[in-house]
Amino acid sequence: MYLNNLRSICFALTAIIFPAFAQSTPESWTPELQVLTKSLTTPRLSPDGKRVVYAVSHVVMTPDKSEYVLQLFLASVDGKENMQITFGEKSSSNAKWSPDGKRIAFLSDRKDSRNKVYVLSFNGGDAQQLTNMKTAVIDFAWSPDGQSIAFVAPDAKSDAEEKDDKGKNDAHWLDENWKRGRLYVVSAAVATPSAPRGLTDGKSHVSGGFDWSPDGKLIAFSHSTSPSANDWHSADISLVEVASGKVTPFAASPASETQPHFSPDGKSIAMRVSDVPARWAQAATIQLMSLADQRVTRLPATHDAQPTIARWSNDGKRLYFIEGHGVRTDTSYVDLAGNKIVSLQNAPAYFSDFSVSADGNTLAFVMQSPDRAPEVYVSAAASFAPVQLSRANADAPKLPIGKTEVVRWKSKDGSEIEGLLTYPVNYRAGEKVPLLLNIHGGPAGVFSLSYIAGRGNYPLATFAARGYAVLRPNPRGSSGYGVAFRSGNIKDWGGADYQDLMTGVDHVIKMGVADANRLGVLGWSYGGYMTTWIVTQTNRFKAAVAGAPVTNLMSFTTTADIPGFIPDYFQSQFWDNPPIYQKH
């Protein structure tokens, strides 16, 4: 009854809450239109695999607002139901099913702009607030019996700090008085709310994921020394007894250990473990550790050594993970009996936010491609054939969009480099057009087969509509091509990676597409660094746009919140090796 009532009103409210792309018919893509493209996140299958809950992000642009708002939708896997289930001016996101599939919990900042946990029952009624912390809840998880919810929230400011804030006396010392994330547990019975009970003492920062044991007696959690982005490599995994709050170290090696996932029998924990030392150009494996004797089993190496663990199959025979593979993404699983990796899909598209049903038979995910807006899809795991569930971008203008194709070329040293080339709208073979060289950040970022008319640092579809071709290379240092390739620009920013970019431009000129006399270059972060580097090495580019560039490696090291980043890439501090910093 509740869902039927929601369905009867959702169509009327959608027009009010989700602004249409444009009332008049646009002639071509513009940045304003691209901002209106909706993004979709966290599709999650119900325990029985029959329904999917997901979030849709839309833009709100009024004279006094400029923000993104997320709302939750519910769809049936058979395609018969698809409706909005949360409304309002504030966001609702990160929905998770109760173990019995009768409720969902989600985060919302609807009360005081701080995310709190809410619970919505499908038996009727409004969503009920479950937590009331002074700080925002970061993440949460249902207990296996559905009676409790564990969550992470940072420490609140003291009364004195609150008073100082109101008085604008907000000076503070960096790297002191950290507001560390702590793990809490609270009853999921909203009819009789109870105060959360702290499970960790705040001496370390809970980060990197947590998971309940199947019997609900333990929670495995990853924690680092502080919330600083510079301390990610210090992550270890500990166990806490839910009843007593007793914490026991579990995985505390020199590596970074994150993403703990209990096996269905509760006898071991799967986790992502970095190489030693942990590098910013990360490399990691999936390892299993026994609770009884801490015996470690290292699973087969993955293609890119950057797996994100999704979940175990209910029978404990498979461990699912997601990973980039060049310009696309793969969902795979480790066959534990055969000690081998099996890929479930390798379609030419960009996939994200995978969810696997408890029996391992059904996948839910967000899929997009350069000419197709993101939507939620489902597929049988045995035979990958995506079926679209959502219609979030159905009202997008049907405008011509520049064709994007994968291109490959040989760099100066013979290495093969891959990238994406977007042609101008209505491009005619043999026509030479202006070319924009777009460089990604990282440097361990990667350009993937995502929708070019969506949101991003640069409006690619608008460029294509204005007659530009755009080359997006993945030079050495990029993710998706293995550890050796990702480490290929260590101690060499502006060296071989520069040649990868220049030979890519040369390749597009040789294709007869780019006009050698009309070249531009642009990039963000590391892409901004490379943009500023390029204009000091060559005069071939007529225009350059450097977004958030690093223009001095030495001053960056002493002023950024990640002081270990550049020394890790250049394998020394600038005061120990001034020449290499001066060179680059």
Side-chain angles (χ1 to χ4, degrees):
M1 176 66 72
Y2 177 63
L3 295 182
N4 289 335
N5 290 339
L6 271 178
R7 180 172 56 182
S8 67
I9 65 172
C10 71
F11 297 107
L13 287 175
T14 297
I16 298 172
I17 296 174
F18 284 169
F21 266 83
Q23 300 304 317
S24 59
T25 303
E27 295 181 358
S28 64
W29 285 104
T30 64
E32 292 83 358
L33 282 176
Q34 291 197 226
V35 168
L36 294 177
T37 298
K38 300 179 184 74
S39 61
L40 295 91
T41 59
T42 56
R44 291 198 171 98
L45 283 153
S46 59
D48 61 8
K50 294 181 179 179
R51 294 176 294 173
V52 178
V53 62
Y54 61 94
V56 177
S57 170
H58 68 279
V59 67
V60 175
M61 290 188 293
T62 65
D64 59 346
K65 286 185 179 180
S66 178
E67 60 191 41
Y68 294 113
V69 174
L70 289 90
Q71 298 297 351
L72 298 177
F73 284 69
L74 181 71
S76 59
V77 170
D78 61 14
K80 295 180 180 179
E81 300 278 356
N82 185 27
M83 67 193 72
Q84 188 175 339
I85 59 174
T86 63
F87 302 88
E89 296 182 354
K90 297 291 187 176
S91 288
S92 298
S93 62
N94 197 21
K96 299 181 182 182
W97 294 90
S98 62
D100 61 7
K102 295 180 180 180
R103 296 176 291 170
I104 60 168
F106 60 93
L107 297 178
S108 181
D109 61 351
R110 61 186 61 180
K111 185 174 181 180
D112 59 5
S113 299
R114 298 188 184 104
N115 270 340
K116 304 181 189 306
V117 178
Y118 287 77
V119 175
L120 176 63
S121 171
F122 292 119
N123 292 326
D126 296 328
Q128 300 296 306
Q129 182 180 326
L130 189 65
T131 63
N132 192 30
M133 306 291 288
K134 289 185 177 181
T135 56
V137 173
I138 299 170
D139 197 8
F140 67 94
W142 288 90
S143 63
D145 62 6
Q147 299 302 305
S148 303
I149 286 179
F151 66 92
V152 174
D155 293 333
K157 292 181 179 180
S158 66
D159 291 342
E161 289 170 327
E162 293 278 7
K163 183 178 180 181
D164 284 343
D165 284 349
K166 291 180 180 179
K168 306 301 182 184
N169 182 23
D170 55 0
H172 64 279
W173 291 102
L174 291 176
D175 300 339
E176 290 187 10
N177 193 25
W178 291 111
K179 302 303 179 185
R180 292 179 170 85
R182 299 196 194 201
L183 188 63
Y184 298 84
V185 65
V186 66
S187 169
V190 294
T192 56
S194 60
R197 178 166 55 88
L199 295 178
T200 57
D201 57 14
K203 293 180 181 178
S204 61
H205 172 64
V206 179
S207 60
F210 59 95
D211 190 39
W212 289 82
S213 63
D215 61 10
K217 295 181 179 180
L218 299 172
I219 295 177
F221 64 98
S222 181
H223 53 90
S224 51
T225 55
S226 81
S228 169
N230 201 59
D231 287 339
W232 67 271
H233 55 80
S234 68
D236 293 326
I237 292 174
S238 294
L239 303 175
V240 59
E241 295 178 4
V242 177
S244 66
K246 179 183 177 182
V247 175
T248 304
F250 180 70
S253 75
S256 171
E257 292 109 348
T258 58
Q259 302 179 25
H261 285 70
F262 273 97
S263 61
D265 61 9
K267 295 181 179 180
S268 62
I269 292 176
M271 55 189 177
R272 172 171 157 158
V273 181
S274 76
D275 283 355
V276 179
R279 305 295 304 272
W280 283 89
Q282 294 183 33
T285 58
I286 300 175
Q287 298 182 15
L288 306 182
M289 182 179 284
S290 165
L291 269 75
D293 57 10
Q294 281 71 56
R295 182 173 58 87
V296 173
T297 302
R298 187 179 177 124
L299 299 186
T302 62
H303 163 75
D304 197 42
Q306 290 192 334
T308 297
I309 302 173
R311 63 162 295 152
W312 290 79
S313 62
N314 268 8
D315 59 11
K317 295 180 179 180
R318 297 178 176 183
L319 186 62
Y320 293 89
F321 68 91
I322 307 156
E323 188 174 55
H325 197 130
V327 295
R328 58 182 175 83
T329 47
D330 278 352
T331 300
S332 307
Y333 65 83
V334 181
D335 177 350
L336 296 177
N339 196 36
K340 62 181 180 180
I341 293 175
V342 179
S343 177
L344 294 176
Q345 46 76 216
N346 57 2
Y350 180 69
F351 300 86
S352 59
D353 292 75
F354 269 89
S355 172
V356 184
S357 62
D359 59 13
N361 293 331
T362 308
L363 307 174
F365 46 89
V366 176
M367 182 173 74
Q368 57 186 302
S369 61
D371 60 353
R372 182 169 51 193
E375 297 288 357
V376 171
Y377 292 77
V378 292
S379 173
S383 56
F384 193 73
V387 176
Q388 185 175 338
L389 291 187
S390 68
R391 297 290 185 273
N393 285 299
D395 64 339
K398 305 302 185 284
L399 296 170
I401 198 164
K403 183 185 77 170
T404 297
E405 67 182 18
V406 179
V407 291
R408 298 178 181 88
W409 62 91
K410 295 292 186 181
S411 189
K412 187 174 181 180
D413 64 356
S415 300
E416 183 175 84
I417 307 300
E418 184 176 65
L420 297 170
L421 177 62
T422 298
Y423 292 84
V425 171
N426 300 323
Y427 176 77
R428 296 187 301 272
E431 181 183 8
K432 293 185 177 181
V433 298
L435 174 71
L436 301 178
L437 172 63
N438 186 6
I439 310 168
H440 65 61
V446 62
F447 282 124
S448 301
L449 290 165
S450 56
Y451 185 48
I452 69 166
R455 309 167 191 165
N457 288 336
Y458 300 107
L460 302 180
T462 302
F463 290 151
R466 299 294 187 272
Y468 293 93
V470 182
L471 176 64
R472 291 176 287 158
N474 287 328
R476 68 195 72 196
S478 302
S479 292
Y481 301 91
V483 177
F485 190 86
R486 188 162 53 254
S487 303
N489 66 345
I490 288 179
K491 299 176 69 174
D492 192 39
W493 287 20
D497 49 3
Y498 167 74
Q499 297 298 337
D500 297 345
L501 300 173
M502 294 303 99
T503 52
V505 172
D506 293 338
H507 178 71
V508 181
I509 292 173
K510 290 178 182 177
M511 291 172 63
V513 175
D515 183 342
N517 295 313
R518 291 188 291 171
L519 303 176
V521 57
L522 64 167
W524 206 262
S525 191
Y526 164 79
Y529 167 88
M530 287 305 302
T531 299
T532 60
W533 178 267
I534 284 169
V535 298
T536 68
Q537 308 301 308
T538 177
N539 292 322
R540 68 191 305 191
F541 294 92
K542 298 297 188 291
V545 178
V550 177
T551 57
N552 184 315
L553 300 179
M554 289 175 277
S555 63
F556 178 88
T557 298
T558 55
T559 58
D561 63 347
I562 47 174
F565 178 72
I566 297 296
D568 182 60
Y569 264 96
F570 286 87
Q571 299 187 339
S572 64
Q573 294 287 355
F574 68 81
W575 51 82
D576 293 325
N577 191 357
I580 195 170
Y581 279 80
Q582 291 165 350
K583 178 181 177 181
H584 294 277

